[in-house]
Amino acid sequence: MSAAHSPRLGPWCLLLAVAIALYVLGLNSHYAPTNGDEMVYIHIARLTAASGHWLPLVSDLDHMRNTKPPLLFWQAMASGDWSAQGGLAALRWPSVAYTLLTTAGLGAIALRISGRARTALLAALLYLAFFSTFRYGRVYLTSAPETFWLALPLGWLLWLQSRPAAAQAAAGGPMAPLAPSIGFYAVAGLSMGLGLLYKSFALIAPAAATLWCALVLQAGRPLPATWLRISAGTALSALLALGLFSLWFVLDPDPQAVWQEFVVGENGGKLGSGMGYWQAAWSGEHPLWLQLLAYPENAGLLFPVALGLYIAGVRAAWRGETALWRSGAQGTLLVWVLLWLVVFCIPSQRSARYLLPAMPAFALLLALHWERLARAWFVATLVLSAMAAVLLTRFAWVIAEVVTGAPWAPHCALLACAAACTALLAGLWRSAWSRAAALVASLSVYACFIAMAAPLDSPQADFSAELRTQMLGRTVAVPNGFNAQYERFAFVFPGSRLVPYDVQGRQTGALHPELADAQRLPYLLTQADAVVWQEADVARAAPPCAPACQVLGSRWYVKSRHRTGEVTLANLWQPQQWLLGREWLVVARR
């Protein structure tokens, strides 16, 4: 029986199916792992769609209109549904599609390089198990499409480099180095251009440099003519990509605003630092040493295993064992990973998520060296995952005690937690199981998180359909704690006019956040037909305007920001004291 049909592949295929299901489940959740920028992009996409024009982009936020290239917003305008029925899932499913396409390509390349179906399944599972993929590869952000389009040329190159052993034998030995045609460079340029139109023209630097270095590396010791041909081809790809990106300036009615807001503000602002470049590099908000750990950070719970790959690579280089890395597909993967890291160590503003387009290469390297890594790294991942699963399951049961929706959710969280703990015990008992158990435990944590949030996203936990209908065409004041975070209420009250007010505690902001609660809520009721009032103190049974106001409905929410000292090791196991808050829908009593 062939390896591709081996019964031992069954559990791996099942685990991959579970991982894919986790990317689809909870896609409509307001508590899916993301960052604050998602709502900014949704805000711009919604208002641009409402304008009836593809360009210029539209925003109510100061200095946040041309914050990203238009392809991201056009994708949302084509797939988006801002009704309560469509929800966030209508905007997010293209990201999941892109992520799964990248995963499929990754598995195919791993199979071609290794000749083993298990390695292909492992590479796909690792990419989906990375927290960076789960966080940015399934919500409405730029990471999934940009990763796919920027990885496509290098994936094609890896495919060509990894010719099966049978083809090499037929050629009488190692085959000649690749000589990409002009068509390869043209398609690579168009693919990179689409990636730039999702994120930034600045990504041409690491993308083109990686392509050039990978081609030079696979050529061995090329003649000057070969160097010239590779350089000319890569330059053609870069020019095509930048030419495609420049269409934004041609098509936008206000190209000057694009230049000032996107090129100068969004991109140029990341290069400067008020405290001096070198001082900021070592002691600033985005230190250089932290960026060097970007790949393990993106790996999330697999951080120890990713760190183990780091150390294994350094040891191999120290011992001179570099033949495996210098040529072929693994050389291309190493160039891909290292060049993206080096390029994004240069700006003063550094972030691990800037390296997301290189995470497929990191996943493939990790899969190829999976069996060579020390068992201790996997045991560390098992311990971290089991601890996280237990904590999230505790949160799930506390939420279920307060919120009546999705009564099945805490039981599912308990099952996922049991899977993580079982994986821990299995990995400790038998060393041969520790590697696969680490993947099971990591994915179990994601299942716990989805189950934890399910009650809060259920219809029973939200404002009723009658209240949504009652708010149609009315002005509703809604809380805003960060840039455009109020945009989530566009899915709660579709058809209403939203007026954001800054949350309490600020000295300045929209609609007087400096006022005390007892004065502020009555003031907000004079500015809008209804107010969604957020109350962090769960002991308070009524809003501060009672009895002069009428409460139409209420719901629970998870607090995203906490005061200093609110969460400690002493009360971590008592999340009912700090995890949840209440939102009341309030109108003035007539």
Side-chain angles (χ1 to χ4, degrees):
M1 183 176 291
S2 66
H5 296 87
S6 172
R8 294 184 179 182
L9 292 180
W12 290 90
C13 293
L14 178 61
L15 190 58
L16 181 59
V18 169
I20 293 172
L22 291 176
Y23 273 70
V24 178
L25 294 172
L27 199 59
N28 201 38
S29 174
H30 287 268
Y31 300 100
T34 181
N35 69 3
D37 289 343
E38 183 184 34
M39 288 300 162
V40 176
Y41 301 155
I42 289 175
H43 170 80
I44 297 171
R46 179 174 65 86
L47 293 190
T48 304
S51 73
H53 302 284
W54 294 96
L55 287 172
L57 301 176
V58 182
S59 173
D60 286 340
L61 306 173
D62 293 336
H63 310 298
M64 284 194 177
R65 180 165 64 95
N66 294 304
T67 183
K68 285 292 179 289
L71 202 54
L72 171 70
F73 307 108
W74 292 350
Q75 173 184 296
M77 291 163 65
S79 66
D81 180 357
W82 281 269
S83 67
Q85 290 73 32
L88 289 167
L91 295 168
R92 289 170 170 170
W93 74 261
S95 292
V96 175
Y98 271 118
T99 296
L100 296 182
L101 283 173
T102 302
T103 303
L106 192 61
I109 294 169
L111 178 62
R112 190 170 169 92
I113 292 174
S114 66
R116 300 176 61 201
R118 182 172 175 234
T119 303
L121 291 168
L122 176 60
L125 278 166
L126 282 170
Y127 184 64
L128 294 178
F130 288 160
F131 183 65
S132 62
T133 312
F134 190 71
R135 182 180 182 185
Y136 299 111
R138 64 190 290 265
V139 294
Y140 177 58
L141 287 169
T142 56
S143 302
E146 107 199 11
T147 298
F148 174 81
W149 290 114
L150 293 175
L152 194 59
L154 292 165
W156 187 6
L157 180 60
L158 285 166
W159 182 267
L160 295 175
Q161 287 178 323
S162 308
R163 285 163 288 191
Q168 296 192 26
M175 303 178 90
L178 296 173
S181 65
I182 191 171
F184 172 89
Y185 291 112
V187 173
L190 293 175
S191 179
M192 290 191 292
L194 289 172
L196 304 188
L197 275 172
Y198 268 106
K199 188 63 175 282
S200 172
F201 67 92
L203 295 184
I204 194 59
T210 301
L211 181 61
W212 184 86
C213 286
L215 288 169
V216 168
L217 184 69
Q218 68 86 33
R221 294 183 179 179
L223 298 173
T226 306
W227 281 75
L228 183 60
R229 185 174 65 250
I230 292 174
S231 300
T234 306
L236 173 64
S237 297
L239 288 173
L240 280 174
L242 291 172
L244 192 59
F245 180 85
S246 67
L247 290 177
W248 184 12
F249 293 88
V250 175
L251 299 176
D252 198 294
D254 190 3
Q256 183 64 30
V258 175
W259 176 266
Q260 290 296 330
E261 296 172 18
F262 183 75
V263 177
V264 178
E266 180 73 10
N267 289 268
K270 292 181 170 64
L271 296 174
S273 174
M275 60 187 303
Y277 181 83
W278 290 110
Q279 184 180 356
W282 298 107
S283 59
E285 186 179 356
H286 310 283
L288 185 61
W289 65 267
L290 191 60
Q291 185 72 357
L292 296 177
L293 295 174
Y295 290 115
E297 179 183 339
N298 284 334
L301 291 168
L302 290 168
F303 183 101
V305 181
L307 190 61
L309 182 64
Y310 264 35
I311 295 175
V314 171
R315 284 180 176 174
W318 181 261
R319 296 170 182 171
E321 302 169 2
T322 57
L324 188 63
W325 305 87
R326 283 201 304 263
S327 60
Q330 294 207 49
T332 296
L333 291 170
L334 189 61
V335 164
W336 188 350
V337 167
L338 288 178
L339 270 178
W340 276 81
L341 178 60
V342 169
V343 168
F344 283 104
C345 281
I346 296 173
S348 297
Q349 182 175 327
R350 304 175 184 89
S351 173
R353 63 190 177 104
Y354 295 161
L355 273 63
L356 293 179
M359 289 308 293
F362 192 80
L364 190 45
L365 278 175
L366 193 54
L368 293 173
H369 295 271
W370 187 253
E371 299 295 336
R372 299 186 181 95
L373 301 180
R375 182 190 177 212
W377 303 116
F378 299 93
V379 171
T381 288
L382 284 167
V383 172
L384 287 175
S385 299
M387 292 172 59
V390 169
L391 194 60
L392 288 175
T393 301
R394 167 63 177 166
F395 293 172
W397 279 93
V398 168
I399 290 174
E401 290 175 356
V402 177
V403 183
T404 57
W408 49 266
H411 302 284
C412 290
L414 189 61
L415 287 175
C417 181
C421 293
T422 302
L424 170 62
L425 295 176
L428 292 175
W429 185 34
R430 292 192 61 177
S431 60
W433 293 349
S434 58
R435 288 165 172 78
L439 286 172
V440 173
S442 299
L443 293 172
S444 297
V445 173
Y446 298 155
C448 288
F449 187 93
I450 292 171
M452 179 194 75
L456 294 162
D457 291 307
S458 64
Q460 299 92 326
D462 208 345
F463 296 120
S464 67
E466 291 77 13
L467 281 181
R468 297 175 192 267
T469 303
Q470 188 176 342
M471 292 297 111
L472 283 174
R474 302 180 71 179
T475 300
V476 182
V478 294
N480 184 43
F482 188 64
N483 291 330
Q485 286 306 294
Y486 69 90
E487 188 66 28
R488 62 192 175 95
F489 289 98
F491 302 96
V492 179
F493 300 113
S496 301
R497 178 175 175 267
L498 302 181
V499 177
Y501 65 89
D502 285 328
V503 294
Q504 302 95 319
R506 298 185 181 182
Q507 295 303 311
T508 59
L511 299 178
H512 297 288
E514 73 280 359
L515 292 177
D517 291 353
Q519 290 80 40
R520 192 170 191 212
L521 183 49
Y523 166 73
L524 290 174
L525 287 170
T526 66
Q527 305 298 309
D529 298 317
V531 176
V532 175
W533 181 256
Q534 220 171 57
E535 179 55 64
D537 184 2
V538 294
R540 181 174 285 182
C545 62
C549 60
Q550 179 182 359
V551 177
L552 299 182
S554 68
R555 67 176 189 173
W556 295 94
Y557 74 98
V558 175
K559 292 187 282 187
S560 59
R561 299 192 177 191
H562 297 88
R563 295 185 299 271
T564 302
E566 187 176 2
V567 184
T568 64
L569 287 176
N571 68 0
L572 189 61
W573 195 249
Q574 307 298 327
Q576 64 270 24
Q577 299 177 9
W578 51 265
L579 181 64
L580 297 176
R582 188 184 290 275
E583 288 178 342
W584 284 294
L585 180 62
V586 180
V587 296
R589 194 176 293 277
R590 304 295 181 187

